[in-house]
Amino acid sequence: MINKKNIGLFIPCYVDQFYPNVGIATLELLEKLGCQVSYPLGQTCCGQPMANAGYERDTIGTTKHFLNTFKDFDYIVAPSGSCVLHVKEHSPTVPGLESEQYATQHKIYELTEFITDILEIDSIQGSYPHKVGYHASCHGQRGLRLASASELHETPFNKARQLLQQLDGLEWIELARKDECCGFGGTFAVTEEALSVQMGKDRLEDHLSHDVEIITGGDMSCIMHLEGIARRNKTPLQFKHIAEILNEAIS
Amino acid sequence: MNHPTKAEEFLSDGANAKWHDETLWFVRDKRDSSSKTVPEWEELRDLASRIKDNVLDYLETYLLEFEKNAKANNIRVHWAKNAEEHNQIVLGILNKHQCKAIVKSKSILTEECHLNPFLEKHGIEVVDTDLGERIVQFLNQPPSHIVMPAIHLKKMAISDIFHEKLQTEKGNDDPYYLTQAARNHLREKFLAAKVAITGVNFGVAETGEFVVCTNEGNADMGVHLADVHIASMGIEKIIPKREHLGVFLRLLARSATGQSITNYNSHFRSPDTGKEIHIVLVDNGRTEQLAREKFRNSLKCIRCGACMNTCPIYRRSGGFSYGSTVPGPIGSILSPGLDLQKHSSLPFASTLCGSCSDVCPVKINIHEQLYEWRQEITKAQAANAKSISMKIANGIFAVPFAYKISAGMMRGALKFLPDSITYSGLNTWGKQRDLPELPKETFKQWYKKNRS
Ligand code: SF4
């Protein structure tokens, strides 16, 4: 049995600033699943935007702060595959804190994998009568392996789908390109603006042509980008983080 | 010119860009299905990757073994430190045979060495005999893809070129008709050439033989009609034993086009009586790359092109947007090693989605190396502000959430970037995208009110 009492919630900086509802949904969802969760108030950005832009070496201070902030928790859970991947694989080694860092990298989980793999919950009871299209964020998909990759010869699985498809009335929509990148890519969204937007439009088109009502996913950064394009073009699509759907469906 | 600018240009013809994306996706799709017919696909990749690791660890030993065995087979072996030496060696052989016209096939390495313009300057006619290569040669363009050199051209564009160069019927874009015209045209060239140049897919250390893989059979046609065969081979193309070919040939064809096997896998072992085979072993920056611990893996590449077909950037920006002989993801980790400044925008021409690493038949961690090159480029920039493209510098901190990061963290980077650059990119975000609406409170504020 895992100790559900000592779980640290890590809310990525942009979710804190722009998408408080996603933070709230994550917290409430974990609570409904029997977890005791706290959110250490001193937390800041994990350093991913800097590191992906080529300044990993300048994120030692941030990484150290992160390790100290979360050192006393049994688990760290975040509603973002991308930030979790960063903490696990790209945060620079902090001299003197090697063992804390090792421990942190092995106790941090993206929300859906925490539910399926640690809480070992296969399905969530609830109702959500909508046509849902799932956007697989690449860092969750190929970085954390939250779902089988279309490139690999492996047995198909998808942790988000496992949780969503049990909901009453939810229709999981199959896409033509189920794990193609949306073109967000952090820095890329601006340095390669034209490409980034085109990739986003192409993803939206795939969802639209399959009659998706709501696009969901595990990373708000991808969704911020997709939603930004959709709004600008008055595209009739809704966007929700998977935590919002699960939390709403249960209640 | 940097990648973002060329990508934008490419995308400005929306219909063409869509066609390009779909054409390459089709190839990737074929690769997916074909690889899934092999139950042990992932084990094969693993095996191939480990064989190549071993090759890189003992490269010198295998090369010397290869040289010894090739010489024993009457092959003449030359060593070229760089492109210049390679070209001089080839020219020397041509001069000795008083050869003024050659046919060439299947060699990205000769592109890398810019052999064609070099030979043409010395009065030698070079004819590329791969259909796609011949097409881009007619247009004076470099190949835009390493396996499908003319993939950026539609059928009608090819029909127009053939009409102009080979006097085919105007407007006839029937592929069979055009191929026949090319064959007739090339046949004359094959018959006239005394020397044929090919690339090498695999050099087998154990036997001193080498293998060239083509779908058109033109390498064989060229070589068998000529008196002299010159094979240009990158030093990383070595494999230890002939039995390893079984692993690589199965992976190569499926990864490249989805075929189960390439049409012609031709083994060259020793020259016929009265004929000559030369091998030029080319370094051209490879030993330097081998010495870069984080990037040496890139030398495992077997040039299948799968990472290009799968790359969402390549598919939407075309091969020419990379400005390097090898485009796409693998090119973006090879090229900075050759000229960091010139290619500094390439490692940023990626979302780090990781699809390239997952399709790669020899399991090169391409996207991780892109990440590592970014670290190198910004370091070089600290030493020399011009080494990073301004377009990149502009965007680095401009994504809406990035400017919220703590001042302490930005200090290092900010030393080298003026403030105006740091913040100006926000406008770029908003050009074609809405910004998220600012909520009335942050999560932190909500939490303080509701939970603590
Ligand atoms: S890097 Fe891998 S996928 Fe790309 S061309 Fe080389 S072998 Fe093929």
Side-chain angles (χ1 to χ4, degrees), chain B residues 105-107 198-203 210-215 219-220 223 229 231-232 245 249 252 262-268:
Chain B
S105 153
K106 223 16 209 203
S107 180
T198 71
V200 170
N201 288 86
F202 304 98
F210 60 93
V211 178
V212 183
C213 312
T214 72
N215 270 330
D220 307 77
V223 166
H229 175 186
S232 297
L245 280 169
L249 294 179
L252 176 62
T262 312
N263 293 350
Y264 301 87
N265 295 299
S266 309
H267 295 236
F268 298 96

Side-chain angles (χ1 to χ4, degrees), chain B residues 146-147 252 255 298 300-308 326 329-331 333 356-357 359-364 366:
Chain B
I146 58 174
V147 175
L252 176 62
S255 300
S298 58
K300 289 155 79 172
C301 176
I302 57 171
R303 300 290 192 269
C304 71
C307 57
M308 286 153 218
V326 179
I330 179 67
I333 59 175
C356 46
S357 305
V359 289
C360 178
V362 288
K363 295 181 90 164
I364 301 173
I366 307 174

Side-chain angles (χ1 to χ4, degrees), chain B residues 42-325:
Chain B
E42 298 303 332
E43 284 103 286
L44 271 183
R45 286 176 72 221
D46 205 50
L47 197 54
S49 165
R50 286 189 285 130
I51 294 170
K52 283 284 184 177
D53 279 336
N54 173 275
V55 166
L56 295 183
D57 284 347
Y58 298 98
L59 189 56
E60 187 189 341
T61 316
Y62 288 129
L63 281 168
L64 292 174
E65 186 188 348
F66 178 73
E67 181 187 37
K68 188 177 100 219
N69 291 329
K71 279 183 172 165
N73 299 337
N74 286 326
I75 292 181
R76 299 172 206 206
V77 181
H78 311 257
W79 298 83
K81 171 120 203 57
N82 49 35
E84 177 59 31
E85 276 189 26
H86 165 265
N87 294 350
Q88 288 295 351
I89 290 167
V90 173
L91 181 65
I93 301 169
L94 297 182
N95 285 342
K96 205 179 105 203
H97 291 271
Q98 292 167 351
C99 173
K100 286 288 169 200
I102 59 157
V103 288
K104 197 160 95 29
S105 153
K106 223 16 209 203
S107 180
I108 309 156
L109 179 57
T110 58
E111 290 291 334
E112 176 187 321
C113 294
H114 303 292
L115 180 69
N116 288 16
F118 173 85
L119 291 181
E120 279 153 13
K121 214 175 62 204
H122 287 87
I124 291 161
E125 187 201 12
V126 185
V127 175
D128 280 310
T129 60
D130 307 270
L131 183 54
E133 292 251 15
R134 187 64 181 146
I135 294 168
V136 292
Q137 199 187 19
F138 277 146
L139 286 170
N140 251 323
Q141 287 177 345
S144 72
H145 186 289
I146 58 174
V147 175
M148 301 168 284
I151 194 71
H152 59 290
L153 296 168
K154 291 188 180 165
K155 267 191 311 189
M156 197 43 96
I158 295 167
S159 163
D160 289 346
I161 302 157
F162 278 23
H163 172 67
E164 187 197 324
K165 302 281 182 183
L166 304 178
Q167 291 76 48
T168 56
E169 260 167 58
K170 188 155 183 58
N172 189 339
D173 67 349
D174 176 53
Y176 181 76
Y177 170 72
L178 294 177
T179 311
Q180 283 312 107
R183 290 178 83 130
N184 292 336
H185 156 71
L186 286 171
R187 187 146 305 160
E188 291 165 27
K189 305 289 178 186
F190 279 128
L191 288 169
K194 277 209 256 174
V195 177
I197 300 188
T198 71
V200 170
N201 288 86
F202 304 98
V204 184
E206 172 191 46
T207 58
E209 76 198 290
F210 60 93
V211 178
V212 183
C213 312
T214 72
N215 270 330
E216 297 164 28
N218 52 322
D220 307 77
M221 179 93 96
V223 166
H224 294 311
L225 288 169
D227 299 331
V228 180
H229 175 186
I230 304 174
S232 297
M233 168 173 160
I235 53 171
E236 82 286 15
K237 290 275 145 89
I238 208 96
I239 58 170
K241 291 178 189 292
R242 188 189 259 173
E243 68 186 38
H244 297 147
L245 280 169
V247 175
F248 290 104
L249 294 179
R250 292 179 78 196
L251 286 166
L252 176 62
R254 288 184 174 85
S255 300
T257 58
Q259 291 164 270
S260 48
I261 194 79
T262 312
N263 293 350
Y264 301 87
N265 295 299
S266 309
H267 295 236
F268 298 96
R269 183 158 182 168
S270 59
D272 256 357
T273 0
K275 295 194 174 191
E276 288 176 20
I277 297 181
H278 296 257
I279 289 184
V280 192
L281 290 161
V282 186
D283 182 332
N284 206 33
R286 286 161 177 77
T287 358
E288 273 168 73
Q289 189 80 337
L290 189 64
R292 298 181 180 112
E293 210 195 315
K294 286 178 176 154
F295 305 111
R296 71 192 299 241
N297 247 336
S298 58
L299 294 172
K300 289 155 79 172
C301 176
I302 57 171
R303 300 290 192 269
C304 71
C307 57
M308 286 153 218
N309 307 337
T310 202
C311 179
I313 314 299
Y314 176 92
R315 275 188 264 115
R316 291 176 182 82
S317 66
F320 297 147
S321 65
Y322 293 81
S324 58
T325 306

